[in-house]
Structures are given as structure tokens and as C-alpha cells.
């Protein structure tokens, strides 16, 4: 069985890892070998990761002898290789397909803007931090949230590419889940809330929900004022 | 399905791509293919800036897929034209490339490239390889190109991105070290490579990544320190799709040497 020849090294509470795990579930590849590593203990820089991914990053993924790192690459590879099993994640029709690709790649910007706020202290050494920079990053995230609220309001269906769940949802949903995990206030972004509610119980998403999130809220609610 | 031989690679032509009157007038299949390509391309518009790797990637993809003849407009980032009304109408983010195919809009270069390869699979160069390992490597490399482009930008555009009161020498130094480490990773990726980033054929990896390497070298990146990158660059710069779309503003002479110490 294909899943048995796959190995995923991952960390809990990582959007990129979560994307890969949702894709694996959607393509009916449950049963893949996996190892949960700790970012706090710097296990992403351990030899077992570096052997497969010289960048020392997670997710790190192998299928037989084929190594595919980078979460979007894993998702595209899985859909391409397992097109005919599980859910179809890339629509056939040109308009829906184009919209899916467009939202997928805007999703990278979305994640970056989110990270510039919630990971500010992780990315920026103490001596270089400025309130003005964090404020600017928060303003950037607000603009970005406005765009996605708009996309979800005007869309032709409940999913990012229209009427069907697609790779755009696989890669972007984790970012949306993070918004609410980090305290995005109820009522301010109703369409994002609706999207979150629609998908949070989808089997592939529920099955791959970050385990430490199930233990209760722990994060500082960095987004409560956004 | 139409099967075309006659010296061309066998390929399928989607009947829905035919414009009936043009097809009826033609006597030969190569002419038929040409009409289809030109018809498709005439429905496409690209707004772009010279020297921008994302814009350049889309241009290379269009050439490789035989979609010459698309409408295009060169805009100036120096004059802020990416924020002009004509761009904002297609791309509310005010960024380039901005690409339209009929009513379809694709403003992310990777999205446009993937769309073009998927929608025009059977014409021009095949840009996604066959084998699983090669497909996996191709996707991995195009996403690794994101940190590459980002780190180049962090060095080149530090003063543009970071307001004066927030600048630190330590940050500048860190960004330079990060770019050096990144370039070493790519030297490693290219070690033992043939003419292309993935296997024996030109692929989306080359479409997307060649412009980034060219941009690095253009801005002073050292060919001595990164010989594998330099060799790859020299091998591909005369490829027709690349030569034809070479940034017009680069023909006038060398760029700034900002990256010479990397």
C-alpha cells in the first residue's frame, strides 16, 4: 500500500505540516509513517531531518526514494501522483482551476502576513524589534484579511475555488484556523468565521488537527485587537 | 480528439479550442495548430515589468507553450505604474505580473505558469516531467525558489522595505549571511546537474528559477563564488524562449553590483 512507503516528519502547530497532512488524508493515504518532532527542542534541526531535508525544516516527506520537501510541493505531488484516488483536489474546468491556483498562491502571502504578526518575536531578534514594525505588520494583516473576506463573500461557492473543496482549501484552511487559535475576534470577519466553521469538522481536517490544540488554549491571543 | 503527426510530437487538440471558420479554411494540420495557438494567445493579456523574475517566468512559459502573440504591456515599477488603475482593475493587490485569459485572471506567477501548463499540456514544450521522482523534485525546487527570491529581496531592498528608524546593521548582516547560505544550497542542488534543474528536460523549475538566478547575477552576484549557478545560467540564457524575453532594461548595460560581496 502506497501510504506504507511514505514517511512524514512533522511538528504540531505548524501550518505547512498541517497542509501536507490534510492532503494525505484527502487522497486516502492514511497509514503513512510519521514522526512528531518538537520545534521547541530544535528537533527540526536534528540529523534525522537534515538527512532528508538539508534546510532542517518541517514538513519533510519521503515516498519510497522520492523526497519532497516544501508543503505546497507535497500537496501538488500527491494530487498529481494519486489523481485517481481519494478526493479530486484540482478542478478540471479552466475557470475553477485558475481560481484555485490563484488562491493557493495568494495563500502564501496570507501565511506570510499572519506570520509577520504571530511569529514576530521568533523571526526578529530582541535588539531589532520595533513597535512601529509590529504595528505595520498588523495593519498589513488587516488589509489581507479584508481581501479574503471579500473573496469569500463574492465567491460562487463555499470553498475558495468555488463549489468544490480543492488544494486552495488544503493550503489556506490552516492559516484561517491559526487566525482563530490566536484570538481573531468573533464577529469582525464573518465570512472567515463561516469558512472556518464549514471546514473544521471535515474528516481530513479533524483527523490532522494539531494535537496540542486539543489540550486547550495556550497561545497568547496576539490577534484579539485585529 | 485530433491526432497530429507530420513531424510534430503526437498531440491531442481539444476540439473546443477550434474557431470553426478558421479551421475550415486551412489545408494543413501545422497551420491548424498555429491558428489555434494564435487564437488562444489573442485572448491573453500580460501586464509586466522588465527584470522582474515573476513576470519573466510567465513570459518564458507563454513562449514555451507556443502562445506568442499575446497582448502585453510593459510597465514601470520605478514610476509606480503597478499601482495604476489598469493594473488595479485586474489585480487589486497592485502587483505584477497581472495576467488575463478571457475572463480568467491569474495574478500570481506560479499560478499562471501552472495554469498554462495544465491548460495547454499538449502544445509546445512539456513543462511537467513524467516520472514521480522528477515531478516531486520539480515541485520541491519551485517552492524552494521562494526563500531564494525572498532572501535576495531582503538584501537588495532592505532600505526600501525598512523605514530608517528601524534599520540595524545586525539585520543587514544577517540578511547577507542568509543569502550566502541560500546560494550554497543552490550550488549543491546544481552539483552534477545536466543542463536543466530536473532531469534531462526543461521544466517549470527552469521557467521559474532561471529568472531568479539571472536576477542575482545581474545585481552583482558572483559567478566565481557560485560556479554551478553560473554554469547553469550560461547554458540556458540562449534558449529561444529566454533570449526572446530577456528584460529589455538589461540590454543597456550592467546592473548595480549590490550583491557582489555575497
Amino acid at each position: 500500500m502506497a501510504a506504507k512507503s511514505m514517511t512524514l516528519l512533522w511538528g504540531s502547530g505548524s501550518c505547512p505540516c498541517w497542509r501536507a497532512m490534510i492532503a494525505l488524508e484527502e487522497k486516502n493515504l492514511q497509514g503513512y509513517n510519521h514522526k512528531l518532532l518538537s520545534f521547541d527542542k530544535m528537533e527540526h534541526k536534528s540529523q534525522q531531518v537534515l538527512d532528508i531535508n538539508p534546510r532542517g525544516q518541517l514538513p519533510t516527506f519521503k515516498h519510497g526514494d522520492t523526497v519532497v520537501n516544501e508543503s505546497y510541493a507535497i500537496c501538488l505531488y500527491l494530487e498529481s501522483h494519486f489523481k485517481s484516488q481519494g478526493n479530486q483536489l484540482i478542478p478540471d474546468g479552466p475557470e475553477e482551476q485558475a481560481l484555485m491556483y490563484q488562491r493557493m498562491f495568494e495563500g502564501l502571502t496570507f501565511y506570510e502576513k499572519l506570520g509577520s504578526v504571530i511569529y514576530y518575536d521568533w523571526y526578529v531578534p530582541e535588539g531589532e524589534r520595533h513597535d512601529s514594525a509590529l504595528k505595520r505588520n498588523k495593519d498589513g494583516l488587516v488589509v489581507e484579511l479584508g481581501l479574503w473576506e471579500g473573496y469569500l463573500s463574492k465567491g460562487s461557492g463555499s470553498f475558495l475555488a468555488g463549489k468544490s473543496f480543492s488544494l486552495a482549501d488544503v493550503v489556506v484552511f490552516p492559516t484561517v484556523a491559526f487566525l482563530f487559535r490566536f484570538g481573531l475576534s468573533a464577529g469582525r470577519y464573518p465570512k472567515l468565521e463561516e469558512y472556518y466553521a464549514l471546514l473544521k469538522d471535515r474528516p481530513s481536517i479533524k483527523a490532522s488537527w494539531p494535537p496540542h490544540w486539543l489540550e486547550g488554549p495556550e497561545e497568547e491571543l496576539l490577534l484579539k485587537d485585529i | 480528439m485530433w491526432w497530429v503527426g507530420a513531424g510534430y510530437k503526437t498531440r491531442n487538440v481539444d476540439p473546443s479550442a477550434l474557431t470553426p471558420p478558421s479551421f475550415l479554411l486551412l489545408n494543413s494540420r501545422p497551420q491548424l495548430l498555429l491558428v489555434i495557438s494564435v487564437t488562444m494567445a489573442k485572448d491573453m493579456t500580460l501586464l509586466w515589468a522588465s527584470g522582474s523574475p515573476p513576470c519573466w517566468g510567465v513570459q518564458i512559459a507563454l513562449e514555451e507553450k507556443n502562445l506568442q502573440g499575446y497582448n502585453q504591456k510593459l510597465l514601470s515599477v520605478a514610476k509606480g505604474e503597478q499601482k495604476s488603475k489598469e493594473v488595479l482593475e485586474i489585480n487589486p493587490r497592485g502587483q505584477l505580473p497581472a495576467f488575463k485569459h478571457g475572463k480568467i485572471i491569474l495574478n500570481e506567477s506560479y499560478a499562471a505558469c501552472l495554469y498554462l501548463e495544465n491548460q495547454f499540456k499538449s502544445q509546445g514544450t512539456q513543462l511537467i516531467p513524467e516520472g514521480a521522482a522528477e515531478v516531486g523534485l520539480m515541485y520541491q525546487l519551485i517552492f524552494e525558489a521562494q526563500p531564494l527570491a525572498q532572501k535576495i529581496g531582503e538584501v537588495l531592498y532592505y532600505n526600501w522595505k525598512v523605514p530608517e528608524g528601524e534599520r540595524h546593521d545586525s539585520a543587514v548582516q544577517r540578511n547577507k549571511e542568509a543569502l550566502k547560505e541560500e546560494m550554497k544550497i543552490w550550488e549543491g542542488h546544481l552539483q552534477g546537474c545536466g543542463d536543466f534543474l530536473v532531469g534531462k528536460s526543461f521544466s517549470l523549475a527552469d521557467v521559474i528559477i532561471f529568472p531568479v538566478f539571472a536576477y542575482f547575477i545581474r545585481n552583482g552576484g558572483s559567478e566565481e563564488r557560485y560556479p554551478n549557478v553560473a554554469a547553469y545560467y550560461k547554458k540556458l540564457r540562449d534558449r529561444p524562449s529566454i533570449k526572446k524575453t530577456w528584460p529589455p532594461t538589461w540590454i543597456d548595460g550592467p546592473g548595480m553590483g549590490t550583491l557582489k560581496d555575497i
Side-chain angles (χ1 to χ4, degrees), chain A residues 3 6 18-32 74-75 78-79 82-90 159 164-171 173-174 195 198-208:
Chain A
M6 294 178 173
W18 198 357
R19 294 169 190 149
M21 294 165 77
I22 295 171
L24 285 158
E25 295 286 329
E26 289 285 333
K27 301 313 293 181
N28 281 355
L29 292 162
Q30 298 88 351
Y32 59 91
I74 297 168
C75 293
L78 290 173
E79 178 57 15
F82 296 98
K83 209 180 172 58
S84 51
Q85 74 178 61
N87 293 323
Q88 183 176 339
L89 297 175
I90 297 180
F159 302 101
S164 334
F165 182 88
S166 72
L167 275 187
D169 305 293
V170 172
V171 299
F173 176 83
Y195 177 76
L198 171 71
L199 284 181
K200 69 178 176 34
D201 293 322
R202 186 178 175 91
S204 61
I205 287 174
K206 218 167 163 178
S208 54

Side-chain angles (χ1 to χ4, degrees), chain A residues 111-123 133-142 182 222-224 226:
Chain A
Y111 178 63
E112 204 189 288
K113 303 269 176 193
L114 171 70
S116 73
V117 175
I118 66 175
Y119 299 133
Y120 184 73
D121 290 351
W122 177 264
Y123 291 153
L134 182 56
K135 175 167 190 322
R136 197 172 51 252
N137 294 349
K138 283 182 177 173
D139 291 343
L141 179 56
V142 168
F182 280 83
L222 297 167
L223 302 180
K224 63 180 174 353
I226 299 276

Side-chain angles (χ1 to χ4, degrees), chain A residues 113 117 135-149 184 188-189 192 225-226:
Chain A
K113 303 269 176 193
V117 175
K135 175 167 190 322
R136 197 172 51 252
N137 294 349
K138 283 182 177 173
D139 291 343
L141 179 56
V142 168
V143 170
E144 192 66 27
L145 290 171
L147 280 174
W148 292 88
E149 230 359 63
L184 196 69
R188 286 195 200 167
Y189 298 96
L192 280 166
D225 300 322
I226 299 276

Side-chain angles (χ1 to χ4, degrees), chain B residues 185-258:
Chain B
I185 290 175
W186 289 92
E187 271 295 291
H189 282 326
L190 286 163
Q191 191 63 37
C193 248
D195 292 348
F196 307 106
L197 277 162
V198 177
K200 296 186 171 50
S201 335
F202 188 84
S203 72
L204 277 184
D206 305 293
V207 170
I208 287 171
I209 299 169
F210 176 90
V212 185
F213 287 149
Y215 191 74
F216 174 76
I217 290 172
R218 165 75 179 176
N219 283 285
S222 166
E223 297 186 42
E224 287 77 41
R225 236 169 276 138
Y226 304 104
N228 293 343
V229 171
Y232 169 82
Y233 165 77
K234 287 179 182 142
K235 271 182 253 177
L236 277 184
R237 66 181 166 186
D238 292 325
R239 186 179 175 90
S241 62
I242 289 175
K243 213 167 169 178
K244 186 172 174 199
T245 54
W246 201 265
T249 54
W250 289 11
I251 294 166
D252 302 332
M256 306 198 296
T258 317

Side-chain angles (χ1 to χ4, degrees), chain B residues 31 42 57 118 176 183 194-196 198 208 231 251 260 262:
Chain B
Q31 280 184 303
K42 284 290 170 217
N118 278 293
K176 286 184 175 168
M183 290 310 297
D195 292 348
F196 307 106
V198 177
I208 287 171
I251 294 166
K260 65 180 174 3
I262 300 292

Side-chain angles (χ1 to χ4, degrees), chain A:
Chain A
M1 185 188 147
K4 283 298 168 204
S5 61
M6 294 178 173
T7 301
L8 179 75
L9 305 181
W10 64 289
S12 180
S14 148
C15 272
C17 293
W18 198 357
R19 294 169 190 149
M21 294 165 77
I22 295 171
L24 285 158
E25 295 286 329
E26 289 285 333
K27 301 313 293 181
N28 281 355
L29 292 162
Q30 298 88 351
Y32 59 91
N33 306 296
H34 66 90
K35 193 156 182 194
L36 171 56
L37 299 174
S38 161
F39 289 109
D40 287 338
K41 294 182 192 163
M42 298 298 283
E43 287 177 351
H44 52 300
K45 302 293 179 191
S46 64
Q47 200 55 49
Q48 69 178 317
V49 178
L50 293 171
D51 283 344
I52 312 177
N53 186 351
R55 288 179 183 271
Q57 291 175 333
L58 302 174
T60 283
F61 177 74
K62 261 189 104 158
H63 175 204
D65 292 325
T66 300
V67 170
V68 188
N69 302 320
E70 302 297 322
S71 63
Y72 274 51
I74 297 168
C75 293
L76 284 161
Y77 169 81
L78 290 173
E79 178 57 15
S80 142
H81 202 66
F82 296 98
K83 209 180 172 58
S84 51
Q85 74 178 61
N87 293 323
Q88 183 176 339
L89 297 175
I90 297 180
D92 290 321
E95 279 105 358
E96 237 190 320
Q97 193 185 100
L99 185 58
M100 184 213 76
Y101 282 130
Q102 171 71 17
R103 296 293 181 247
M104 264 185 89
F105 291 99
E106 285 190 81
L108 286 171
T109 302
F110 193 4
Y111 178 63
E112 204 189 288
K113 303 269 176 193
L114 171 70
S116 73
V117 175
I118 66 175
Y119 299 133
Y120 184 73
D121 290 351
W122 177 264
Y123 291 153
V124 184
E126 200 173 340
E128 294 173 21
R129 292 176 202 156
H130 295 269
D131 288 343
S132 48
L134 182 56
K135 175 167 190 322
R136 197 172 51 252
N137 294 349
K138 283 182 177 173
D139 291 343
L141 179 56
V142 168
V143 170
E144 192 66 27
L145 290 171
L147 280 174
W148 292 88
E149 230 359 63
Y151 297 153
L152 287 164
S153 307
K154 287 178 282 185
S156 64
S158 321
F159 302 101
L160 286 171
K163 295 183 172 54
S164 334
F165 182 88
S166 72
L167 275 187
D169 305 293
V170 172
V171 299
V172 175
F173 176 83
T175 302
V176 175
F178 267 66
L179 290 170
F180 292 105
R181 171 74 178 175
F182 280 83
L184 196 69
S185 295
R188 286 195 200 167
Y189 298 96
K191 298 306 282 182
L192 280 166
E193 262 182 81
E194 221 177 278
Y195 177 76
Y196 174 70
L198 171 71
L199 284 181
K200 69 178 176 34
D201 293 322
R202 186 178 175 91
S204 61
I205 287 174
K206 218 167 163 178
S208 54
W209 201 264
H212 79 282
W213 285 12
L214 297 167
E215 292 157 23
E218 266 174 45
E219 260 81 48
E220 212 189 311
L221 300 181
L222 297 167
L223 302 180
K224 63 180 174 353
D225 300 322
I226 299 276

